Amino acid sequence: MRLHRLDITAFGPFGTTQSVDFDALSAAGLFLLHGPTGAGKTSVLDAVCYALYGSVPGARQGGQGTTLRSDHAAPGTRTSVTLELTVAGRRLEITRQPPWERPKKRGGAGTTVDKAQTWLRERDAATGAWKDVSRSHQEIGEEITQLLGMSREQFCQVVLLPQGDFARFLRADAEARGKLLGRLFDTQRFADVEKRLADRRRAAEARVRDGDADLLADAHRMQQAAGGAMELPELSPGEPGLADAVLTAAAVARSTAREQLTAAHCRLATAESVRAATGRALDETRERHRLQRRFAEARERAERLRERSGAHGEDQARMERARKAETVAPALELRDSADAEHRRAAAAEERARALLPAHLADAGPDGLAAAA
């Protein structure tokens, strides 16, 4: 936020209109408001606060219409504060007029009360013209609070330090100064934050100790897996440096394990090479054994064939005789057939003779022929 100009009329000790050009004052950097008591230094800051929030800091915020109006102002002059400022990149002008009890213009003697008035204007950066934004007290208050990001109480505590409280602050001891600062800046929320952070720190420490215990348990398991070659740090859970020490020991153990793994890979490669050579030798031995077994079986078959060669010769002789017998087989069949026919004829002859008379039964073929 940057202040540009402040116009004060019938406000505080200022009976007439007074203007403060903040741009001219801040051209050299910091500037100082100084003067005797009652000169209106605090009233300038009160006017800034009133223009922004419609009220002033501290006890002076009660009864705005009567406490803010200057006792030196003419009866016909209305109390007014106009502040031009830049906030959040916007050039704004705020004018506030508290309730005013003024003399009646008609109807004779007496007074009448005009309601409080508020204007908010914004300057167009392109044209330089001012345009009205709002005339609602509530809308303007919400707009300013949102742009500044602070309520009136926060603005008074952080930006404006009341003059009397500041003097007491300078004269107070450390304890009183702390209480005063706590009242001015509402440090209870910071105490609550501090307490919460302390609780979170204790909870974090407990989690760290639990994590360290788990880490040590893992480290012991790694030590057992490493065969006792891993050296563990002599630290308890929660002590600083435990995690780094365990990580260092684990890194050493991992390097050793990696070397052992490399050596194991070499031994495995050698063993696989030996196994491959042994497998080839085994295959050659099995093939040789197969061939030797086939050779032995062939020799046994040859021996059996030699033993059976005599019987084979006899079989061949019988086969030869059988082939020769096959040539006379038809004649033998004819002989057998003729012999059978002869036997049938003889039998028929016997049956025929049996049927002849006795004197003819003993005659031979020639006698039968003669008798016929």
Side-chain angles (χ1 to χ4, degrees):
M1 180 181 71
R2 179 181 177 184
L3 305 181
H4 298 289
R5 191 189 79 257
L6 177 66
D7 296 329
I8 307 173
T9 301
F11 183 89
F14 307 107
T16 59
T17 300
Q18 302 292 329
S19 296
V20 181
D21 188 351
F22 289 105
D23 286 337
L25 291 175
S26 60
L30 296 177
F31 60 90
L32 172 67
L33 294 179
H34 67 93
T37 302
K41 302 183 296 298
T42 304
S43 296
V44 172
L45 302 180
D46 289 347
V48 172
C49 183
Y50 178 73
L52 293 174
Y53 295 99
S55 60
V56 296
R60 297 185 301 279
Q61 61 182 310
Q64 299 288 334
T66 57
T67 58
L68 299 181
R69 182 169 176 79
S70 175
D71 296 333
H72 309 288
T77 302
R78 182 166 186 174
T79 302
S80 177
V81 175
T82 300
L83 176 65
E84 184 180 340
L85 73 159
T86 297
V87 58
R90 298 172 61 184
R91 185 75 172 258
L92 303 176
E93 182 188 74
I94 308 170
T95 299
R96 290 187 186 270
Q97 295 177 349
W100 179 36
E101 185 178 358
R102 61 174 177 80
K104 291 183 178 180
K105 296 181 179 179
R106 299 185 184 89
T111 59
T112 185
V113 177
D114 287 344
K115 295 181 179 180
Q117 299 290 330
T118 304
W119 293 272
L120 176 63
R121 299 196 304 169
E122 182 174 1
R123 184 177 180 180
D124 190 343
T127 63
W130 290 93
K131 62 179 180 178
D132 293 333
V133 176
S134 176
R135 299 195 62 169
S136 169
H137 299 290
Q138 183 177 359
E139 290 181 359
I140 295 174
E142 292 176 356
E143 182 78 10
I144 296 301
T145 301
Q146 183 177 1
L147 290 175
L148 294 179
M150 291 184 291
S151 65
R152 185 192 63 82
E153 291 77 10
Q154 293 170 333
F155 181 81
C156 294
Q157 291 170 353
V158 176
V159 180
L160 301 180
L161 184 64
Q163 185 174 2
D165 289 339
F166 182 69
R168 286 196 301 273
F169 173 76
L170 294 178
R171 295 191 298 268
D173 56 13
E175 182 178 358
R177 189 177 302 171
K179 293 181 180 180
L180 179 61
L181 287 175
R183 182 174 63 83
L184 290 175
F185 296 101
D186 189 17
T187 58
Q188 180 59 40
R189 61 182 184 276
F190 299 107
D192 295 339
V193 171
E194 182 180 3
K195 180 178 180 300
R196 182 168 181 178
L197 291 176
D199 294 339
R200 293 181 63 180
R201 176 180 58 80
R202 286 189 291 269
E205 289 176 350
R207 290 196 298 270
V208 168
R209 286 193 296 270
D210 294 340
D212 287 347
D214 295 339
L215 182 61
L216 281 176
D218 293 338
H220 284 295
R221 286 193 290 270
M222 286 190 292
Q223 187 183 38
Q224 293 176 357
M230 178 179 174
E231 296 183 1
L232 295 181
E234 297 180 357
L235 295 174
S236 301
E239 293 188 34
L242 175 63
D244 293 337
V246 171
L247 290 176
T248 301
V252 174
R254 180 177 58 186
S255 177
T256 304
R258 185 180 293 110
E259 294 176 357
Q260 294 175 352
L261 179 62
T262 302
H265 281 312
C266 294
R267 291 194 297 270
L268 177 61
T270 303
E272 289 179 347
S273 177
V274 173
R275 184 183 65 83
T278 305
R280 291 192 295 271
L282 178 61
D283 293 339
E284 293 175 358
T285 301
R286 286 175 177 172
E287 180 65 17
R288 188 180 301 110
H289 175 69
R290 186 182 66 82
L291 294 176
Q292 289 176 350
R293 186 174 65 250
R294 290 184 60 186
F295 178 72
E297 292 173 353
R299 292 185 62 179
E300 290 178 0
R301 287 196 299 271
E303 185 65 26
R304 287 194 298 270
L305 290 174
R306 281 195 299 271
E307 292 176 354
R308 295 172 58 186
S309 61
H312 181 66
E314 294 177 358
D315 293 339
Q316 285 183 340
R318 284 196 297 272
M319 289 177 63
E320 187 64 26
R321 289 195 298 272
R323 290 192 189 96
K324 291 179 180 180
E326 287 180 353
T327 58
V328 297
L332 292 176
E333 291 178 356
L334 290 175
R335 187 195 67 177
D336 292 339
S337 177
D339 185 51
E341 188 66 28
H342 175 71
R343 285 194 296 273
R344 286 193 298 272
E349 182 183 3
E350 289 293 332
R351 288 190 300 271
R353 285 183 180 277
L355 297 175
L356 292 175
H359 66 278
L360 293 176
D362 294 334
D366 294 336
L368 291 173

PDB file of all heavy atoms in Angstrom, residues 29 80 95 102 136 165 168 220 265 269 271 279 313 328:
ATOM      1  N   GLY A  29      12.527   9.113   0.628  1.00  0.00           N
ATOM      2  CA  GLY A  29      12.560   7.876   1.408  1.00  0.00           C
ATOM      3  C   GLY A  29      11.677   8.004   2.629  1.00  0.00           C
ATOM      4  O   GLY A  29      10.485   8.288   2.530  1.00  0.00           O
ATOM      5  N   SER A  80     -14.784  15.845   7.172  1.00  0.00           N
ATOM      6  CA  SER A  80     -14.562  15.003   5.992  1.00  0.00           C
ATOM      7  C   SER A  80     -13.092  14.591   5.934  1.00  0.00           C
ATOM      8  O   SER A  80     -12.202  15.375   6.289  1.00  0.00           O
ATOM      9  CB  SER A  80     -14.951  15.749   4.711  1.00  0.00           C
ATOM     10  OG  SER A  80     -14.668  14.957   3.569  1.00  0.00           O
ATOM     11  N   THR A  95     -13.436   8.730   0.410  1.00  0.00           N
ATOM     12  CA  THR A  95     -13.925   9.905   1.137  1.00  0.00           C
ATOM     13  C   THR A  95     -14.945   9.439   2.163  1.00  0.00           C
ATOM     14  O   THR A  95     -15.900   8.728   1.816  1.00  0.00           O
ATOM     15  CB  THR A  95     -14.581  10.911   0.189  1.00  0.00           C
ATOM     16  OG1 THR A  95     -13.614  11.357  -0.776  1.00  0.00           O
ATOM     17  CG2 THR A  95     -15.107  12.120   0.958  1.00  0.00           C
ATOM     18  N   ARG A 102     -25.830  19.466  12.224  1.00  0.00           N
ATOM     19  CA  ARG A 102     -25.626  20.804  11.657  1.00  0.00           C
ATOM     20  C   ARG A 102     -26.845  21.684  11.972  1.00  0.00           C
ATOM     21  O   ARG A 102     -27.940  21.186  12.276  1.00  0.00           O
ATOM     22  CB  ARG A 102     -25.434  20.720  10.144  1.00  0.00           C
ATOM     23  CG  ARG A 102     -26.627  20.137   9.413  1.00  0.00           C
ATOM     24  CD  ARG A 102     -26.457  20.216   7.914  1.00  0.00           C
ATOM     25  NE  ARG A 102     -27.556  19.607   7.196  1.00  0.00           N
ATOM     26  CZ  ARG A 102     -28.730  20.197   6.977  1.00  0.00           C
ATOM     27  NH1 ARG A 102     -28.972  21.420   7.440  1.00  0.00           N
ATOM     28  NH2 ARG A 102     -29.670  19.571   6.298  1.00  0.00           N
ATOM     29  N   SER A 136     -21.552   2.408  -0.782  1.00  0.00           N
ATOM     30  CA  SER A 136     -22.063   1.591   0.314  1.00  0.00           C
ATOM     31  C   SER A 136     -20.972   1.413   1.364  1.00  0.00           C
ATOM     32  O   SER A 136     -19.843   1.012   1.041  1.00  0.00           O
ATOM     33  CB  SER A 136     -22.515   0.223  -0.213  1.00  0.00           C
ATOM     34  OG  SER A 136     -22.785  -0.660   0.851  1.00  0.00           O
ATOM     35  N   ASP A 165       0.922   4.095  24.321  1.00  0.00           N
ATOM     36  CA  ASP A 165       1.435   2.746  24.529  1.00  0.00           C
ATOM     37  C   ASP A 165       2.892   2.651  24.119  1.00  0.00           C
ATOM     38  O   ASP A 165       3.673   1.909  24.730  1.00  0.00           O
ATOM     39  CB  ASP A 165       0.602   1.741  23.726  1.00  0.00           C
ATOM     40  CG  ASP A 165      -0.787   1.580  24.321  1.00  0.00           C
ATOM     41  OD1 ASP A 165      -0.936   1.910  25.510  1.00  0.00           O
ATOM     42  OD2 ASP A 165      -1.691   1.122  23.603  1.00  0.00           O
ATOM     43  N   ARG A 168       4.969   4.012  27.068  1.00  0.00           N
ATOM     44  CA  ARG A 168       5.050   3.024  28.136  1.00  0.00           C
ATOM     45  C   ARG A 168       5.946   1.872  27.745  1.00  0.00           C
ATOM     46  O   ARG A 168       6.666   1.311  28.569  1.00  0.00           O
ATOM     47  CB  ARG A 168       3.637   2.506  28.463  1.00  0.00           C
ATOM     48  CG  ARG A 168       2.793   3.513  29.239  1.00  0.00           C
ATOM     49  CD  ARG A 168       1.585   2.831  29.865  1.00  0.00           C
ATOM     50  NE  ARG A 168       0.728   2.203  28.870  1.00  0.00           N
ATOM     51  CZ  ARG A 168      -0.244   2.851  28.238  1.00  0.00           C
ATOM     52  NH1 ARG A 168      -0.471   4.140  28.490  1.00  0.00           N
ATOM     53  NH2 ARG A 168      -0.992   2.222  27.350  1.00  0.00           N
ATOM     54  N   HIS A 220      20.351 -54.434  12.417  1.00  0.00           N
ATOM     55  CA  HIS A 220      20.731 -55.714  13.032  1.00  0.00           C
ATOM     56  C   HIS A 220      20.435 -56.877  12.086  1.00  0.00           C
ATOM     57  O   HIS A 220      21.231 -57.825  11.987  1.00  0.00           O
ATOM     58  CB  HIS A 220      19.996 -55.895  14.363  1.00  0.00           C
ATOM     59  CG  HIS A 220      20.568 -55.067  15.487  1.00  0.00           C
ATOM     60  ND1 HIS A 220      21.842 -55.260  15.992  1.00  0.00           N
ATOM     61  CD2 HIS A 220      20.039 -54.039  16.191  1.00  0.00           C
ATOM     62  CE1 HIS A 220      22.080 -54.398  16.971  1.00  0.00           C
ATOM     63  NE2 HIS A 220      20.997 -53.630  17.107  1.00  0.00           N
ATOM     64  N   HIS A 265      29.638 -64.344  -8.777  1.00  0.00           N
ATOM     65  CA  HIS A 265      29.330 -64.412 -10.207  1.00  0.00           C
ATOM     66  C   HIS A 265      30.483 -65.051 -10.989  1.00  0.00           C
ATOM     67  O   HIS A 265      30.250 -65.855 -11.905  1.00  0.00           O
ATOM     68  CB  HIS A 265      29.040 -63.023 -10.750  1.00  0.00           C
ATOM     69  CG  HIS A 265      27.665 -62.521 -10.436  1.00  0.00           C
ATOM     70  ND1 HIS A 265      26.541 -63.284 -10.630  1.00  0.00           N
ATOM     71  CD2 HIS A 265      27.219 -61.327  -9.926  1.00  0.00           C
ATOM     72  CE1 HIS A 265      25.465 -62.604 -10.278  1.00  0.00           C
ATOM     73  NE2 HIS A 265      25.844 -61.413  -9.834  1.00  0.00           N
ATOM     74  N   ALA A 269      30.235 -68.426 -13.018  1.00  0.00           N
ATOM     75  CA  ALA A 269      30.605 -68.558 -14.433  1.00  0.00           C
ATOM     76  C   ALA A 269      31.576 -69.714 -14.642  1.00  0.00           C
ATOM     77  O   ALA A 269      31.446 -70.506 -15.590  1.00  0.00           O
ATOM     78  CB  ALA A 269      31.214 -67.243 -14.929  1.00  0.00           C
ATOM     79  N   ALA A 271      31.895 -72.345 -12.650  1.00  0.00           N
ATOM     80  CA  ALA A 271      31.166 -73.593 -12.421  1.00  0.00           C
ATOM     81  C   ALA A 271      30.290 -73.946 -13.620  1.00  0.00           C
ATOM     82  O   ALA A 271      30.187 -75.122 -14.015  1.00  0.00           O
ATOM     83  CB  ALA A 271      30.328 -73.475 -11.156  1.00  0.00           C
ATOM     84  N   GLY A 279      29.128 -81.768 -19.077  1.00  0.00           N
ATOM     85  CA  GLY A 279      27.966 -82.228 -19.829  1.00  0.00           C
ATOM     86  C   GLY A 279      28.351 -82.764 -21.189  1.00  0.00           C
ATOM     87  O   GLY A 279      27.836 -83.799 -21.628  1.00  0.00           O
ATOM     88  N   GLY A 313      22.397-125.219 -42.155  1.00  0.00           N
ATOM     89  CA  GLY A 313      22.754-126.025 -43.330  1.00  0.00           C
ATOM     90  C   GLY A 313      21.797-127.192 -43.503  1.00  0.00           C
ATOM     91  O   GLY A 313      21.399-127.528 -44.627  1.00  0.00           O
ATOM     92  N   VAL A 328       7.907-134.241 -58.049  1.00  0.00           N
ATOM     93  CA  VAL A 328       7.244-135.547 -58.181  1.00  0.00           C
ATOM     94  C   VAL A 328       5.933-135.573 -57.429  1.00  0.00           C
ATOM     95  O   VAL A 328       5.270-136.623 -57.371  1.00  0.00           O
ATOM     96  CB  VAL A 328       8.165-136.683 -57.693  1.00  0.00           C
ATOM     97  CG1 VAL A 328       9.397-136.765 -58.555  1.00  0.00           C
ATOM     98  CG2 VAL A 328       8.528-136.469 -56.224  1.00  0.00           C
TER      99      VAL A 328
END
